Amino acid sequence: MIVTGITESGSGVVPFLRQCGFSDVCTAVSGDEARRCTVQDNFDLILINMPLTDEMGDRLAVQMSSSTSAGIILLCRSDAADEIGCRTSEHGVSIITKPIHKSAFHQAISSGMSVRNRLVCMKQENVRLQNKLREMRIVSRAKCLLIEKKSMTEKEAHRYIEKLAMDTRRTREKTAEEIISML
């Protein structure tokens, strides 16, 4: 997505983005429009050309970095780059100064995509770990119920859940949920 208050500025960037492998390029003219677009669609890369029609764009960049997994690139005047960089760099926002040099722009796009890929992997790992933690909680709850209601030891309860899961060809989580519902 390209967010720019100047509609002509997006026209030169779109062909370059297509050369870089981005087939669908969406353009927004304001921060509000960009926020609405990100609710409706997932973007790999968000380019923000400062200033926008309704805001400067640095707050939008910070918000987008925390609410999406897209790589964020902020285009700004060179005299403002240091100040804006101080506010946005800890959020993983790349800054390119205007006028834009093709090689620097290509490097920023590559960097933005690397950040995006890293975030996607971290989110997938986070989901996997949350699922594992949920499974462990359910199995532990079932073990506690077996210990309390069936007078088993922790080792016996563990073995019972494992064996029942293998014998019925179900996951430990599904087996534990069944034990919890029965007890």
Side-chain angles (χ1 to χ4, degrees):
M1 175 170 60
I2 300 171
V3 186
T4 181
I6 307 165
T7 52
E8 304 88 48
S9 67
S11 62
V13 175
V14 172
F16 184 75
L17 289 174
R18 292 195 197 286
Q19 287 177 348
C20 292
F22 296 97
S23 55
D24 295 330
V25 180
C26 171
T27 304
V29 296
S30 68
D32 286 338
E33 185 179 350
R35 287 178 183 91
R36 283 192 299 274
C37 288
T38 56
V39 168
Q40 298 168 356
D41 205 352
N42 252 345
F43 296 100
D44 294 337
L45 188 67
I46 300 174
L47 300 173
I48 303 171
N49 185 14
M50 291 178 64
L52 303 176
T53 56
D54 58 347
E55 62 182 277
M56 284 302 293
D58 53 336
R59 282 189 290 148
L60 174 66
V62 169
Q63 182 184 5
M64 293 293 162
S65 72
S66 64
S67 64
T68 71
S69 59
I72 312 291
I73 300 174
L74 198 54
L75 309 173
C76 69
R77 293 186 336 258
S78 58
D79 61 336
D82 289 337
E83 179 186 337
I84 292 167
C86 288
R87 292 193 304 258
T88 61
S89 64
E90 68 185 48
H91 300 281
V93 175
S94 298
I95 305 247
I96 299 181
T97 58
K98 300 180 207 177
I100 303 168
H101 299 286
K102 197 172 189 176
S103 60
F105 191 46
H106 191 273
Q107 189 175 17
I109 289 171
S110 295
S111 176
M113 291 307 297
S114 295
V115 168
R116 181 206 177 276
N117 292 338
R118 189 166 161 248
L119 281 172
V120 167
C121 288
M122 289 174 66
K123 284 184 178 184
Q124 289 171 344
E125 178 69 5
N126 190 10
V127 167
R128 186 188 70 77
L129 291 172
Q130 286 177 351
N131 289 339
K132 184 72 174 168
L133 186 58
R134 187 186 74 246
E135 176 191 334
M136 289 172 65
R137 284 183 181 140
I138 291 170
V139 170
S140 292
R141 194 163 148 218
K143 282 183 194 179
C144 288
L145 284 173
L146 287 171
I147 291 167
E148 184 181 311
K149 304 279 186 185
K150 300 285 187 176
S151 300
M152 292 183 179
T153 66
E154 193 274 332
K155 191 174 182 178
E156 290 170 335
H158 178 80
R159 173 78 176 120
Y160 178 79
I161 292 170
E162 292 282 323
K163 184 164 178 12
L164 187 58
M166 283 190 295
D167 290 348
T168 58
R169 296 182 183 189
R170 289 181 297 176
T171 64
R172 290 177 351 136
E173 183 179 6
K174 292 290 181 197
T175 304
E177 285 172 348
E178 183 179 299
I179 290 169
I180 291 168
S181 67
M182 289 181 356
L183 298 177

